[in-house]
């Protein structure tokens, strides 16, 4: 699901980077909470998605009004940062980041291929 959302905004790299960053902040907060709470499975996913929304809204409230208009970008979707944070937890930051890039590029190339076939 996440790579398709990222593909939709592939022409807006700042927005992609901001979404990844919110996912990373969500992951770090989730790791901190996990020291004090018993989080696993669906409960961890639900808390991750909720935290992603809270982090997104917090950063949009405090950070975005201070940025220049040309750098203004918002997070892609509301649950995407939580899904990214959950994947960070399961696979690690590097593996998840590389797989997101790879699968998003595969979706992008598939889109180009389908469009070129439709023209013929």
């Amino acid at each position: 699901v996440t790579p398709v959302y990222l593909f939709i905004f592939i022409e807006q790299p700042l927005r992609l980077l901001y979404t990844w960053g919110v996912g990373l902040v969500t992951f770090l907060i989730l790791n901190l909470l996990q020291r004090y709470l018993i989080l696993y499975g669906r409960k961890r996913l639900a808390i991750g998605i909720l935290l992603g929304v809270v982090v997104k809204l917090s950063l949009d409230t405090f950070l975005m009004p201070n940025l220049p208009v040309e750098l203004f970008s918002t997070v892609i979707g509301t649950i995407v940062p939580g899904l990214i944070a959950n994947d960070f937890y399961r696979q690690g930051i590097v593996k998840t980041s590389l797989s997101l890039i790879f699968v998003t590029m595969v979706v992008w190339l598939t889109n180009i291929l389908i469009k070129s076939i439709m023209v013929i």
Side-chain angles (χ1 to χ4, degrees):
V1 172
T2 305
V4 175
Y5 273 106
L6 297 180
F7 158 72
I8 293 170
F9 298 97
I10 200 163
E11 295 175 356
Q12 300 174 9
L14 287 177
R15 198 168 187 178
L16 296 174
L17 189 62
Y18 185 54
T19 302
W20 182 85
V22 171
L24 182 64
V25 170
T26 302
F27 166 71
L28 295 174
I29 294 171
L30 196 58
N31 270 350
L32 182 68
L33 283 177
Q34 195 154 5
R35 294 180 183 180
Y36 304 105
L37 302 172
I38 300 171
L39 297 176
Y40 57 92
R42 291 181 184 167
K43 189 187 298 185
R44 186 185 67 236
L45 177 62
I47 296 293
I49 290 173
L50 180 65
L51 275 175
V53 172
V54 169
V55 170
K56 172 202 179 305
L57 292 175
S58 300
L59 288 176
D60 283 350
T61 302
F62 297 113
L63 183 63
M64 287 301 137
N66 300 325
L67 288 177
V69 175
E70 60 271 4
L71 291 180
F72 181 76
S73 62
T74 58
V75 171
I76 298 169
T78 52
I79 64 166
V80 172
L83 294 174
I84 292 173
N86 190 50
D87 288 342
F88 282 162
Y89 180 81
R90 291 185 315 145
Q91 303 176 98
I93 295 171
V94 174
K95 279 185 179 179
T96 298
S97 300
L98 291 175
S99 66
L100 276 175
I101 291 168
F102 178 74
V103 176
T104 302
M105 288 295 137
V106 167
V107 172
W108 179 66
L109 290 172
T110 304
N111 182 46
I112 290 174
L113 181 67
I114 289 172
K115 283 183 178 180
S116 66
I117 291 173
M118 297 298 278
V119 170
I120 298 176

Short mmCIF file of all heavy atoms in Angstrom, two decimals, residues 41-107:
data_model
loop_
_atom_site.label_atom_id
_atom_site.label_comp_id
_atom_site.label_asym_id
_atom_site.label_seq_id
_atom_site.Cartn_x
_atom_site.Cartn_y
_atom_site.Cartn_z
N GLY A 41 2.27 -6.89 17.58
CA GLY A 41 1.24 -7.22 16.61
C GLY A 41 0.32 -6.07 16.26
O GLY A 41 0.75 -4.98 15.94
N ARG A 42 -0.97 -6.36 16.32
CA ARG A 42 -1.98 -5.37 15.94
C ARG A 42 -1.98 -4.15 16.85
O ARG A 42 -2.25 -3.04 16.41
CB ARG A 42 -3.37 -6.00 15.94
CG ARG A 42 -3.54 -7.01 14.85
CD ARG A 42 -4.94 -7.58 14.90
NE ARG A 42 -5.07 -8.63 13.90
CZ ARG A 42 -6.05 -9.47 13.85
NH1 ARG A 42 -7.01 -9.41 14.75
NH2 ARG A 42 -6.10 -10.39 12.91
N LYS A 43 -1.70 -4.38 18.12
CA LYS A 43 -1.68 -3.26 19.05
C LYS A 43 -0.55 -2.29 18.69
O LYS A 43 -0.73 -1.07 18.70
CB LYS A 43 -1.48 -3.78 20.48
CG LYS A 43 -1.65 -2.72 21.54
CD LYS A 43 -1.29 -3.21 22.94
CE LYS A 43 -2.17 -4.34 23.39
NZ LYS A 43 -1.89 -4.73 24.79
N ARG A 44 0.62 -2.81 18.35
CA ARG A 44 1.75 -1.96 17.93
C ARG A 44 1.41 -1.21 16.64
O ARG A 44 1.70 -0.03 16.51
CB ARG A 44 3.01 -2.79 17.76
CG ARG A 44 4.23 -1.92 17.46
CD ARG A 44 5.48 -2.73 17.17
NE ARG A 44 5.32 -3.45 15.92
CZ ARG A 44 5.44 -4.76 15.76
NH1 ARG A 44 5.76 -5.51 16.78
NH2 ARG A 44 5.27 -5.32 14.58
N LEU A 45 0.78 -1.88 15.70
CA LEU A 45 0.38 -1.25 14.46
C LEU A 45 -0.62 -0.12 14.72
O LEU A 45 -0.49 0.98 14.17
CB LEU A 45 -0.21 -2.27 13.48
CG LEU A 45 -0.73 -1.71 12.16
CD1 LEU A 45 0.39 -1.06 11.36
CD2 LEU A 45 -1.39 -2.81 11.35
N ALA A 46 -1.62 -0.39 15.55
CA ALA A 46 -2.63 0.62 15.86
C ALA A 46 -2.02 1.83 16.56
O ALA A 46 -2.30 2.99 16.20
CB ALA A 46 -3.74 0.02 16.71
N ILE A 47 -1.15 1.58 17.53
CA ILE A 47 -0.48 2.69 18.24
C ILE A 47 0.43 3.44 17.27
O ILE A 47 0.52 4.67 17.31
CB ILE A 47 0.32 2.16 19.45
CG1 ILE A 47 -0.62 1.54 20.49
CG2 ILE A 47 1.16 3.26 20.08
CD1 ILE A 47 -1.54 2.52 21.17
N GLY A 48 1.09 2.72 16.37
CA GLY A 48 1.97 3.35 15.38
C GLY A 48 1.20 4.27 14.44
O GLY A 48 1.65 5.39 14.14
N ILE A 49 0.04 3.82 13.99
CA ILE A 49 -0.77 4.66 13.10
C ILE A 49 -1.28 5.88 13.86
O ILE A 49 -1.24 7.00 13.34
CB ILE A 49 -1.92 3.83 12.49
CG1 ILE A 49 -1.35 2.83 11.49
CG2 ILE A 49 -2.95 4.74 11.83
CD1 ILE A 49 -2.35 1.85 10.95
N LEU A 50 -1.73 5.68 15.08
CA LEU A 50 -2.19 6.80 15.90
C LEU A 50 -1.06 7.80 16.15
O LEU A 50 -1.24 9.01 16.02
CB LEU A 50 -2.77 6.29 17.22
CG LEU A 50 -3.28 7.35 18.19
CD1 LEU A 50 -4.48 8.06 17.59
CD2 LEU A 50 -3.65 6.71 19.51
N LEU A 51 0.12 7.29 16.49
CA LEU A 51 1.28 8.16 16.70
C LEU A 51 1.66 8.89 15.41
O LEU A 51 2.05 10.07 15.46
CB LEU A 51 2.48 7.36 17.19
CG LEU A 51 2.56 7.10 18.67
CD1 LEU A 51 3.74 6.18 18.97
CD2 LEU A 51 2.69 8.38 19.44
N GLY A 52 1.56 8.21 14.28
CA GLY A 52 1.87 8.86 13.00
C GLY A 52 0.97 10.06 12.75
O GLY A 52 1.43 11.11 12.29
N VAL A 53 -0.31 9.90 13.07
CA VAL A 53 -1.24 11.02 12.91
C VAL A 53 -0.89 12.15 13.86
O VAL A 53 -0.88 13.33 13.47
CB VAL A 53 -2.70 10.54 13.13
CG1 VAL A 53 -3.66 11.71 13.16
CG2 VAL A 53 -3.09 9.55 12.04
N VAL A 54 -0.57 11.82 15.11
CA VAL A 54 -0.23 12.84 16.10
C VAL A 54 1.06 13.57 15.71
O VAL A 54 1.13 14.80 15.78
CB VAL A 54 -0.10 12.21 17.51
CG1 VAL A 54 0.50 13.19 18.50
CG2 VAL A 54 -1.45 11.72 17.99
N VAL A 55 2.08 12.83 15.28
CA VAL A 55 3.34 13.44 14.85
C VAL A 55 3.11 14.33 13.63
O VAL A 55 3.62 15.45 13.56
CB VAL A 55 4.42 12.37 14.57
CG1 VAL A 55 5.63 12.97 13.90
CG2 VAL A 55 4.81 11.68 15.87
N LYS A 56 2.33 13.85 12.68
CA LYS A 56 2.02 14.63 11.47
C LYS A 56 1.34 15.94 11.84
O LYS A 56 1.75 17.00 11.39
CB LYS A 56 1.12 13.82 10.54
CG LYS A 56 0.59 14.62 9.36
CD LYS A 56 -0.67 13.97 8.82
CE LYS A 56 -1.31 14.68 7.68
NZ LYS A 56 -1.65 16.04 7.86
N LEU A 57 0.31 15.86 12.68
CA LEU A 57 -0.40 17.07 13.06
C LEU A 57 0.48 18.01 13.86
O LEU A 57 0.42 19.23 13.69
CB LEU A 57 -1.66 16.71 13.86
CG LEU A 57 -2.76 16.00 13.07
CD1 LEU A 57 -3.89 15.58 14.01
CD2 LEU A 57 -3.28 16.88 11.96
N SER A 58 1.33 17.46 14.73
CA SER A 58 2.23 18.30 15.52
C SER A 58 3.24 19.01 14.63
O SER A 58 3.46 20.23 14.79
CB SER A 58 2.99 17.44 16.55
OG SER A 58 2.09 16.82 17.41
N LEU A 59 3.86 18.29 13.71
CA LEU A 59 4.84 18.92 12.83
C LEU A 59 4.18 19.92 11.89
O LEU A 59 4.76 20.98 11.61
CB LEU A 59 5.61 17.86 12.04
CG LEU A 59 6.61 17.05 12.84
CD1 LEU A 59 7.25 15.98 11.97
CD2 LEU A 59 7.69 17.94 13.44
N ASP A 60 2.99 19.60 11.40
CA ASP A 60 2.29 20.55 10.54
C ASP A 60 1.95 21.83 11.30
O ASP A 60 2.02 22.92 10.75
CB ASP A 60 1.00 19.93 9.98
CG ASP A 60 1.26 18.96 8.85
OD1 ASP A 60 2.41 18.91 8.37
OD2 ASP A 60 0.31 18.25 8.46
N THR A 61 1.60 21.69 12.57
CA THR A 61 1.23 22.85 13.37
C THR A 61 2.44 23.72 13.71
O THR A 61 2.39 24.94 13.60
CB THR A 61 0.54 22.40 14.67
OG1 THR A 61 -0.60 21.63 14.33
CG2 THR A 61 0.13 23.59 15.51
N PHE A 62 3.54 23.08 14.10
CA PHE A 62 4.68 23.85 14.59
C PHE A 62 5.73 24.15 13.54
O PHE A 62 6.40 25.17 13.60
CB PHE A 62 5.33 23.13 15.78
CG PHE A 62 4.41 23.01 16.95
CD1 PHE A 62 3.95 21.77 17.37
CD2 PHE A 62 3.98 24.13 17.64
CE1 PHE A 62 3.08 21.65 18.44
CE2 PHE A 62 3.11 24.03 18.71
CZ PHE A 62 2.66 22.79 19.11
N LEU A 63 5.92 23.26 12.58
CA LEU A 63 7.01 23.41 11.62
C LEU A 63 6.57 24.10 10.33
O LEU A 63 7.25 24.98 9.83
CB LEU A 63 7.60 22.04 11.30
CG LEU A 63 8.80 21.98 10.37
CD1 LEU A 63 9.98 22.72 10.98
CD2 LEU A 63 9.17 20.56 10.06
N MET A 64 5.45 23.70 9.80
CA MET A 64 5.04 24.17 8.48
C MET A 64 4.80 25.67 8.38
O MET A 64 5.14 26.27 7.38
CB MET A 64 3.79 23.42 7.98
CG MET A 64 4.10 22.01 7.57
SD MET A 64 5.33 22.02 6.26
CE MET A 64 6.38 20.70 6.77
N PRO A 65 4.21 26.34 9.37
CA PRO A 65 4.00 27.78 9.22
C PRO A 65 5.32 28.57 9.11
O PRO A 65 5.33 29.68 8.60
CB PRO A 65 3.24 28.18 10.48
CG PRO A 65 2.60 26.93 10.95
CD PRO A 65 3.54 25.82 10.56
N ASN A 66 6.43 28.00 9.55
CA ASN A 66 7.71 28.70 9.53
C ASN A 66 8.52 28.45 8.28
O ASN A 66 9.56 29.06 8.09
CB ASN A 66 8.54 28.31 10.76
CG ASN A 66 7.82 28.66 12.05
OD1 ASN A 66 7.13 29.67 12.12
ND2 ASN A 66 7.95 27.82 13.05
N LEU A 67 8.09 27.52 7.43
CA LEU A 67 8.83 27.21 6.20
C LEU A 67 8.40 28.11 5.06
O LEU A 67 7.24 28.53 4.99
CB LEU A 67 8.61 25.75 5.80
CG LEU A 67 9.28 24.70 6.66
CD1 LEU A 67 8.90 23.31 6.16
CD2 LEU A 67 10.77 24.84 6.68
N PRO A 68 9.32 28.41 4.15
CA PRO A 68 8.93 29.17 2.96
C PRO A 68 7.90 28.39 2.13
O PRO A 68 7.84 27.17 2.19
CB PRO A 68 10.23 29.31 2.17
CG PRO A 68 11.32 28.98 3.12
CD PRO A 68 10.74 28.12 4.19
N VAL A 69 7.12 29.11 1.37
CA VAL A 69 6.04 28.49 0.60
C VAL A 69 6.56 27.43 -0.36
O VAL A 69 5.94 26.37 -0.52
CB VAL A 69 5.25 29.58 -0.17
CG1 VAL A 69 4.20 28.96 -1.07
CG2 VAL A 69 4.61 30.55 0.79
N GLU A 70 7.73 27.66 -1.00
CA GLU A 70 8.22 26.68 -1.97
C GLU A 70 8.68 25.39 -1.31
O GLU A 70 8.80 24.36 -1.97
CB GLU A 70 9.36 27.26 -2.83
CG GLU A 70 10.57 27.72 -2.05
CD GLU A 70 10.47 29.17 -1.61
OE1 GLU A 70 9.45 29.81 -1.84
OE2 GLU A 70 11.45 29.66 -1.02
N LEU A 71 8.96 25.40 -0.02
CA LEU A 71 9.35 24.18 0.69
C LEU A 71 8.16 23.52 1.38
O LEU A 71 8.30 22.47 1.97
CB LEU A 71 10.43 24.48 1.73
CG LEU A 71 11.79 24.85 1.18
CD1 LEU A 71 12.76 25.11 2.34
CD2 LEU A 71 12.34 23.76 0.29
N PHE A 72 7.00 24.16 1.31
CA PHE A 72 5.84 23.62 2.00
C PHE A 72 5.43 22.28 1.40
O PHE A 72 5.24 22.15 0.21
CB PHE A 72 4.66 24.60 1.92
CG PHE A 72 3.44 24.10 2.62
CD1 PHE A 72 3.37 24.14 4.00
CD2 PHE A 72 2.39 23.58 1.92
CE1 PHE A 72 2.26 23.68 4.66
CE2 PHE A 72 1.26 23.11 2.57
CZ PHE A 72 1.20 23.17 3.95
N SER A 73 5.38 21.31 2.22
CA SER A 73 4.89 20.00 1.79
C SER A 73 4.27 19.34 3.00
O SER A 73 4.67 19.56 4.13
CB SER A 73 6.04 19.16 1.24
OG SER A 73 6.99 18.93 2.24
N THR A 74 3.29 18.55 2.74
CA THR A 74 2.64 17.86 3.84
C THR A 74 2.85 16.36 3.69
O THR A 74 3.25 15.88 2.65
CB THR A 74 1.12 18.16 3.87
OG1 THR A 74 0.57 17.77 2.62
CG2 THR A 74 0.86 19.62 4.13
N VAL A 75 2.56 15.68 4.74
CA VAL A 75 2.73 14.23 4.76
C VAL A 75 1.72 13.60 3.80
O VAL A 75 0.60 14.06 3.66
CB VAL A 75 2.51 13.70 6.19
CG1 VAL A 75 2.45 12.20 6.21
CG2 VAL A 75 3.61 14.20 7.09
N ILE A 76 2.15 12.55 3.14
CA ILE A 76 1.28 11.81 2.22
C ILE A 76 0.37 10.92 3.05
O ILE A 76 0.83 10.02 3.75
CB ILE A 76 2.12 10.97 1.24
CG1 ILE A 76 2.98 11.88 0.39
CG2 ILE A 76 1.22 10.09 0.39
CD1 ILE A 76 4.03 11.17 -0.41
N GLY A 77 -0.91 11.17 2.97
CA GLY A 77 -1.88 10.37 3.70
C GLY A 77 -1.80 10.59 5.20
O GLY A 77 -0.96 11.34 5.70
N THR A 78 -2.67 9.96 5.92
CA THR A 78 -2.63 10.07 7.37
C THR A 78 -2.09 8.81 8.02
O THR A 78 -1.50 8.87 9.09
CB THR A 78 -4.04 10.37 7.95
OG1 THR A 78 -4.95 9.41 7.43
CG2 THR A 78 -4.49 11.75 7.57
N ILE A 79 -2.27 7.67 7.37
CA ILE A 79 -1.80 6.42 7.98
C ILE A 79 -0.46 5.97 7.44
O ILE A 79 0.16 5.08 8.00
CB ILE A 79 -2.84 5.29 7.82
CG1 ILE A 79 -3.05 4.94 6.36
CG2 ILE A 79 -4.15 5.64 8.47
CD1 ILE A 79 -3.79 3.65 6.15
N VAL A 80 0.02 6.58 6.36
CA VAL A 80 1.27 6.14 5.74
C VAL A 80 2.46 6.23 6.70
O VAL A 80 3.25 5.28 6.77
CB VAL A 80 1.52 6.90 4.42
CG1 VAL A 80 2.89 6.60 3.85
CG2 VAL A 80 0.44 6.56 3.40
N PRO A 81 2.64 7.32 7.46
CA PRO A 81 3.78 7.34 8.40
C PRO A 81 3.72 6.21 9.44
O PRO A 81 4.75 5.63 9.80
CB PRO A 81 3.68 8.70 9.08
CG PRO A 81 2.96 9.55 8.10
CD PRO A 81 1.98 8.63 7.43
N GLY A 82 2.52 5.87 9.90
CA GLY A 82 2.37 4.76 10.84
C GLY A 82 2.73 3.43 10.21
O GLY A 82 3.35 2.58 10.84
N LEU A 83 2.35 3.25 8.94
CA LEU A 83 2.72 2.02 8.24
C LEU A 83 4.22 1.94 8.02
O LEU A 83 4.83 0.87 8.16
CB LEU A 83 1.98 1.96 6.90
CG LEU A 83 0.46 1.81 6.96
CD1 LEU A 83 -0.13 1.91 5.57
CD2 LEU A 83 0.06 0.52 7.64
N ILE A 84 4.83 3.08 7.68
CA ILE A 84 6.28 3.12 7.51
C ILE A 84 6.97 2.81 8.84
O ILE A 84 7.94 2.04 8.88
CB ILE A 84 6.73 4.47 6.94
CG1 ILE A 84 6.24 4.62 5.49
CG2 ILE A 84 8.24 4.64 7.00
CD1 ILE A 84 6.49 6.00 4.89
N ALA A 85 6.48 3.39 9.93
CA ALA A 85 7.07 3.14 11.25
C ALA A 85 6.96 1.66 11.63
O ALA A 85 7.89 1.08 12.18
CB ALA A 85 6.38 4.00 12.31
N ASN A 86 5.83 1.04 11.31
CA ASN A 86 5.65 -0.38 11.60
C ASN A 86 6.63 -1.22 10.77
O ASN A 86 7.21 -2.19 11.27
CB ASN A 86 4.21 -0.81 11.31
CG ASN A 86 3.91 -2.19 11.81
OD1 ASN A 86 4.19 -2.52 12.97
ND2 ASN A 86 3.37 -3.02 10.96
N ASP A 87 6.82 -0.84 9.52
CA ASP A 87 7.80 -1.55 8.69
C ASP A 87 9.22 -1.33 9.19
O ASP A 87 10.05 -2.24 9.13
CB ASP A 87 7.69 -1.11 7.23
CG ASP A 87 6.43 -1.64 6.57
OD1 ASP A 87 5.83 -2.60 7.11
OD2 ASP A 87 6.04 -1.10 5.53
N PHE A 88 9.52 -0.12 9.67
CA PHE A 88 10.83 0.14 10.28
C PHE A 88 11.07 -0.82 11.43
O PHE A 88 12.15 -1.36 11.61
CB PHE A 88 10.95 1.57 10.79
CG PHE A 88 11.21 2.61 9.74
CD1 PHE A 88 10.96 3.94 10.01
CD2 PHE A 88 11.72 2.29 8.50
CE1 PHE A 88 11.21 4.92 9.08
CE2 PHE A 88 11.96 3.26 7.54
CZ PHE A 88 11.71 4.58 7.83
N TYR A 89 10.04 -1.03 12.24
CA TYR A 89 10.16 -1.92 13.39
C TYR A 89 10.40 -3.37 12.94
O TYR A 89 11.23 -4.07 13.50
CB TYR A 89 8.91 -1.83 14.26
CG TYR A 89 8.99 -2.72 15.47
CD1 TYR A 89 9.68 -2.31 16.60
CD2 TYR A 89 8.41 -3.98 15.48
CE1 TYR A 89 9.77 -3.12 17.71
CE2 TYR A 89 8.50 -4.81 16.57
CZ TYR A 89 9.19 -4.37 17.69
OH TYR A 89 9.29 -5.18 18.78
N ARG A 90 9.65 -3.81 11.95
CA ARG A 90 9.74 -5.21 11.52
C ARG A 90 11.00 -5.52 10.73
O ARG A 90 11.59 -6.58 10.88
CB ARG A 90 8.51 -5.59 10.68
CG ARG A 90 7.25 -5.65 11.51
CD ARG A 90 6.05 -6.13 10.74
NE ARG A 90 5.97 -5.50 9.42
CZ ARG A 90 5.53 -6.11 8.34
NH1 ARG A 90 5.13 -7.34 8.40
NH2 ARG A 90 5.47 -5.48 7.19
N GLN A 91 11.42 -4.61 9.83
CA GLN A 91 12.52 -4.91 8.91
C GLN A 91 13.78 -4.10 9.16
O GLN A 91 14.82 -4.42 8.60
CB GLN A 91 12.07 -4.63 7.47
CG GLN A 91 10.86 -5.38 7.04
CD GLN A 91 10.43 -4.97 5.67
OE1 GLN A 91 10.76 -5.66 4.71
NE2 GLN A 91 9.73 -3.87 5.56
N GLY A 92 13.68 -3.05 9.92
CA GLY A 92 14.82 -2.16 10.10
C GLY A 92 14.69 -0.95 9.18
O GLY A 92 13.99 -0.99 8.17
N ILE A 93 15.37 0.11 9.54
CA ILE A 93 15.24 1.37 8.81
C ILE A 93 15.83 1.26 7.41
O ILE A 93 15.21 1.69 6.43
CB ILE A 93 15.89 2.52 9.61
CG1 ILE A 93 15.13 2.73 10.91
CG2 ILE A 93 15.92 3.80 8.78
CD1 ILE A 93 15.79 3.68 11.87
N VAL A 94 17.01 0.67 7.29
CA VAL A 94 17.69 0.61 5.99
C VAL A 94 16.92 -0.29 5.02
O VAL A 94 16.65 0.11 3.88
CB VAL A 94 19.15 0.13 6.16
CG1 VAL A 94 19.81 -0.07 4.81
CG2 VAL A 94 19.94 1.11 7.01
N LYS A 95 16.57 -1.49 5.46
CA LYS A 95 15.85 -2.41 4.57
C LYS A 95 14.51 -1.83 4.13
O LYS A 95 14.13 -1.94 2.96
CB LYS A 95 15.60 -3.75 5.26
CG LYS A 95 16.76 -4.68 5.23
CD LYS A 95 16.34 -6.01 5.83
CE LYS A 95 17.48 -7.00 5.79
NZ LYS A 95 17.11 -8.28 6.39
N THR A 96 13.79 -1.23 5.06
CA THR A 96 12.50 -0.65 4.72
C THR A 96 12.66 0.50 3.74
O THR A 96 11.93 0.60 2.76
CB THR A 96 11.77 -0.16 5.98
OG1 THR A 96 11.54 -1.27 6.84
CG2 THR A 96 10.46 0.51 5.65
N SER A 97 13.64 1.36 3.99
CA SER A 97 13.86 2.50 3.10
C SER A 97 14.23 2.05 1.70
O SER A 97 13.68 2.55 0.71
CB SER A 97 14.95 3.42 3.66
OG SER A 97 14.58 3.91 4.92
N LEU A 98 15.13 1.08 1.61
CA LEU A 98 15.54 0.57 0.29
C LEU A 98 14.39 -0.13 -0.42
O LEU A 98 14.20 0.04 -1.63
CB LEU A 98 16.74 -0.36 0.43
CG LEU A 98 18.05 0.31 0.84
CD1 LEU A 98 19.13 -0.74 1.05
CD2 LEU A 98 18.49 1.34 -0.18
N SER A 99 13.60 -0.90 0.32
CA SER A 99 12.48 -1.59 -0.32
C SER A 99 11.40 -0.61 -0.76
O SER A 99 10.78 -0.79 -1.80
CB SER A 99 11.91 -2.67 0.59
OG SER A 99 11.32 -2.10 1.73
N LEU A 100 11.17 0.45 0.03
CA LEU A 100 10.21 1.47 -0.38
C LEU A 100 10.65 2.15 -1.67
O LEU A 100 9.85 2.35 -2.59
CB LEU A 100 10.05 2.54 0.71
CG LEU A 100 9.08 2.24 1.83
CD1 LEU A 100 9.13 3.34 2.88
CD2 LEU A 100 7.67 2.07 1.32
N ILE A 101 11.93 2.48 -1.75
CA ILE A 101 12.46 3.10 -2.96
C ILE A 101 12.32 2.15 -4.14
O ILE A 101 11.85 2.53 -5.22
CB ILE A 101 13.93 3.54 -2.76
CG1 ILE A 101 14.01 4.69 -1.77
CG2 ILE A 101 14.58 3.92 -4.09
CD1 ILE A 101 15.41 4.99 -1.29
N PHE A 102 12.73 0.91 -3.95
CA PHE A 102 12.70 -0.07 -5.03
C PHE A 102 11.29 -0.32 -5.54
O PHE A 102 11.02 -0.27 -6.75
CB PHE A 102 13.36 -1.38 -4.59
CG PHE A 102 13.33 -2.45 -5.64
CD1 PHE A 102 14.18 -2.39 -6.73
CD2 PHE A 102 12.44 -3.50 -5.54
CE1 PHE A 102 14.14 -3.36 -7.71
CE2 PHE A 102 12.39 -4.49 -6.52
CZ PHE A 102 13.25 -4.41 -7.61
N VAL A 103 10.37 -0.61 -4.63
CA VAL A 103 9.00 -0.94 -5.06
C VAL A 103 8.30 0.28 -5.65
O VAL A 103 7.55 0.16 -6.62
CB VAL A 103 8.20 -1.55 -3.89
CG1 VAL A 103 6.76 -1.80 -4.29
CG2 VAL A 103 8.84 -2.82 -3.41
N THR A 104 8.57 1.47 -5.12
CA THR A 104 8.00 2.68 -5.70
C THR A 104 8.51 2.87 -7.13
O THR A 104 7.74 3.23 -8.03
CB THR A 104 8.33 3.91 -4.83
OG1 THR A 104 7.83 3.69 -3.51
CG2 THR A 104 7.70 5.16 -5.40
N MET A 105 9.79 2.61 -7.36
CA MET A 105 10.34 2.73 -8.71
C MET A 105 9.76 1.66 -9.64
O MET A 105 9.49 1.93 -10.81
CB MET A 105 11.87 2.60 -8.68
CG MET A 105 12.56 3.79 -8.10
SD MET A 105 12.27 5.22 -9.14
CE MET A 105 11.96 6.44 -7.91
N VAL A 106 9.53 0.45 -9.13
CA VAL A 106 8.91 -0.60 -9.95
C VAL A 106 7.49 -0.18 -10.34
O VAL A 106 7.08 -0.36 -11.50
CB VAL A 106 8.91 -1.95 -9.20
CG1 VAL A 106 8.01 -2.96 -9.89
CG2 VAL A 106 10.32 -2.49 -9.09
N VAL A 107 6.74 0.38 -9.40
CA VAL A 107 5.39 0.85 -9.71
C VAL A 107 5.45 1.97 -10.75
O VAL A 107 4.65 2.00 -11.69
CB VAL A 107 4.66 1.31 -8.43
CG1 VAL A 107 3.33 1.99 -8.76
CG2 VAL A 107 4.44 0.14 -7.49
#
